[in-house]
Amino acid sequence: MISLKNPGQIAKMREAGKILREVEDEVREHIRPGVSTAELDILAEKLIRKNGAIPSSLHYEGYPCSICASINDEVVHGIPSERRILKEGDVVSIDCTLLKDGWQADSAFTAGVGQISEEAQKLIRVTEECFWEGVRQCIAGNRLGDVGHAIDAHARKNGFSVIREFTGHGIGREMHEDPSVFNFGDPGRGLRLRRGMTIAVEPMIAMGDWHLSIDDDGWCARTVDHSICAHYEHTIAITEEGLPEILTLPGFSWEAEA
Ligand code: MF3
Ligand code: CO
Ligand code: CO
């Protein structure tokens, strides 16, 4: 069931999004060689709680941490650990979800650790571009297939492949709501986007093949061919104007963009 949000509810989600942006920007500043992913997790949890919010991932279906930190061939759900020390040349994706006053915000980004290869820089850039290609299609009246197709087409054009086993999702009072937001699809097909929908758009892109395996910890998903991956996610709302507002990117406006 898809729950539409009224402007007051979207305002609440905007507050959650603003806090999450601050948390993730602070975590990003701590990414450097020698830092463990557990340190980033502890920092995130501290900042989330300082802002009167709750880390949604902690204890979610038994997940043990407040962020996911996925390195190189790890796509999503990498469990932070003191033993996972970031090193020069790594590519790390940080994904965090928080709950503020009963409303969720979910966002992820990928960063290089120290100096990274040209190809890895391109992967990160293209993954972010895929998000923007998708979000540009998030207009009332368009369909989810338009969004997925735009993401997939941009990844392919750059020689990369979209992960097919994980998707974006509706979001609101729950971290995961209907609908699933696939990162591939057919233009003109699928659910029609409406004012008041709130969704997480999150392209996950591999340099090589998209097939995944899950580690023995039951969480960490990595590419079978061990190709490097990137992930970029924001929580968005389709506003009264029928346009996408990026709730986890406060201050962004399409007017300023144009
Ligand atoms: N943030 C993830 C998403 O984008 C979900 C987190 S899974 C958890 O949907 F297990 F870490 F909670
Ligand atoms: Co997420
Ligand atoms: Co998500």
Side-chain angles (χ1 to χ4, degrees):
M1 194 198 62
I2 291 159
S3 75
L4 299 178
K5 282 79 178 177
N6 64 40
Q9 294 170 321
I10 290 175
K12 293 284 223 178
M13 292 183 68
R14 189 180 294 124
E15 287 308 305
K18 184 162 173 270
I19 294 169
L20 181 55
R21 182 79 280 112
E22 287 173 12
V23 169
E24 289 198 343
D25 286 353
E26 182 83 30
V27 169
R28 183 193 280 271
E29 286 184 21
H30 284 76
I31 292 174
R32 63 174 72 94
V35 169
S36 75
T37 53
E39 289 172 73
L40 300 177
D41 180 62
I42 290 162
L43 171 67
E45 180 174 1
K46 200 180 296 169
L47 294 168
I48 290 167
R49 297 202 190 276
K50 196 179 87 184
N51 282 283
I54 294 166
S56 311
S57 296
L58 188 61
H59 309 315
Y60 177 83
E61 293 182 7
Y63 188 78
C65 292
S66 299
I67 63 169
C68 300
S70 309
I71 305 169
N72 298 334
D73 66 340
E74 301 169 358
V75 185
V76 286
H77 306 161
I79 299 178
S81 162
E82 284 168 11
R83 296 185 310 273
R84 298 305 302 278
I85 314 286
L86 297 178
K87 62 177 197 303
E88 183 95 16
D90 281 344
V91 169
V92 63
S93 300
I94 303 294
D95 187 1
C96 187
T97 312
L98 62 74
L99 184 74
K100 172 69 176 179
D101 292 338
W103 294 91
Q104 304 276 358
D106 186 4
S107 176
F109 66 92
T110 302
V113 181
Q115 201 62 34
I116 60 169
S117 71
E118 295 260 331
E119 190 69 356
Q121 289 175 39
K122 180 186 167 191
L123 177 72
I124 293 171
R125 175 175 55 78
V126 168
T127 302
E128 293 186 15
E129 288 168 1
C130 283
F131 167 83
W132 289 105
E133 290 296 320
V135 95
R136 273 172 45 183
Q137 297 294 324
C138 291
I139 294 167
N142 273 10
R143 291 175 183 271
L144 283 179
D146 298 316
V147 179
H149 176 79
I151 291 170
D152 189 32
H154 191 68
R156 281 171 194 273
K157 199 174 77 188
N158 284 281
F160 299 144
S161 57
V162 152
I163 302 299
R164 304 174 87 86
E165 297 169 47
F166 292 98
T167 68
H169 48 91
I171 180 169
R173 288 200 173 276
E174 304 294 331
M175 169 160 66
H176 293 144
E177 299 183 354
D178 288 339
S180 291
V181 179
F182 286 87
N183 291 313
F184 56 92
D186 298 317
R189 301 289 293 272
L191 183 83
R192 207 180 275 284
L193 291 163
R194 295 177 58 188
R195 292 167 171 79
M197 278 187 186
T198 47
I199 57 176
V201 177
E202 49 179 313
M204 291 150 268
I205 310 289
M207 262 190 205
D209 185 80
W210 56 266
H211 285 88
L212 305 182
S213 67
I214 307 291
D215 284 5
D216 289 339
D217 63 18
W219 282 102
C220 184
R222 65 177 77 235
T223 51
V224 170
D225 69 0
H226 297 297
S227 66
I228 295 173
C229 295
H231 183 194
Y232 192 73
E233 173 178 34
H234 283 295
T235 297
I236 73 158
I238 315 286
T239 62
E240 293 290 286
E241 292 78 51
L243 295 174
E245 175 183 346
I246 300 156
L247 300 174
T248 44
L249 210 50
F252 173 83
S253 91
W254 294 100
E255 287 79 19
E257 197 77 345

